[in-house]
Amino acid sequence: DDSAGAGKADQVKEWWEALKHYGPRIGYFPQPGKTCLIIKDPNKLEYYKQLFPDVLVTAEGHRYLGSFIGTKAATELYVKEKVDDWVADINDISTAAASEPQLAFAGYYFGITKKWNYLMRTTPDIA
């Protein structure tokens, strides 16, 4: 149910229009409100917003498949938010560990560490 594309503005526009036209025929329904276009040049932000009026257009970046694509500053902010969430999770698990140590270990090992590892493997220049 996910799709991704890359290229020059006219190519991406052509792909997007084809996806909206042909997608429903094969059971794929693009949702512009949930779609994000990440551009390289912030000076062209208004141009792309006009070209894709129903899509979120950003030059900063956006979450993608559990990771992040974007500028270094935006990536660092995304990772900081994730780390803050994990710190809260570790605090919750440590509270549970007092009475349920095996459950806490399982939650840590099968939950939190998998999320950490995934983000570190898929997000460049953060580890």
Side-chain angles (χ1 to χ4, degrees), residues 3-4 14-24 26 28-30:
S3 184
E14 183 179 330
W15 167 80
W16 177 244
E17 294 302 324
L19 190 64
K20 290 192 306 185
H21 180 75
Y22 294 110
I26 58 171
Y28 182 77
F29 300 93

Side-chain angles (χ1 to χ4, degrees), residues 1-126:
D1 66 9
D2 290 331
S3 184
K8 297 183 186 248
D10 56 340
Q11 296 168 329
V12 174
K13 181 66 173 178
E14 183 179 330
W15 167 80
W16 177 244
E17 294 302 324
L19 190 64
K20 290 192 306 185
H21 180 75
Y22 294 110
R25 294 180 187 181
I26 58 171
Y28 182 77
F29 300 93
Q31 298 179 16
K34 294 174 66 178
T35 302
C36 181
L37 177 66
I38 303 168
I39 63 170
K40 292 180 181 180
D41 186 355
N43 296 323
K44 295 183 179 178
L45 189 61
E46 290 306 316
Y47 168 74
Y48 281 96
K49 284 183 177 183
Q50 290 177 358
L51 193 59
F52 296 90
D54 51 349
V55 171
L56 170 65
V57 180
T58 178
E60 296 296 314
H62 197 269
R63 183 185 67 79
Y64 181 67
L65 297 178
S67 186
F68 193 85
I69 298 174
T71 64
K72 185 171 177 71
T75 301
E76 288 174 359
L77 179 62
Y78 177 80
V79 171
K80 182 188 179 323
E81 291 171 359
K82 287 293 189 185
V83 170
D84 291 345
D85 290 345
W86 295 330
V87 167
D89 291 345
I90 291 292
N91 288 332
D92 292 344
I93 284 177
S94 63
T95 301
S99 61
E100 299 284 346
Q102 290 174 322
L103 177 66
F105 175 75
Y108 168 75
Y109 183 77
F110 293 108
I112 294 172
T113 61
K114 305 301 182 196
K115 292 177 183 179
W116 285 347
N117 286 328
Y118 182 81
L119 186 71
M120 287 187 289
R121 283 191 333 264
T122 60
T123 308
D125 303 323
I126 65 162

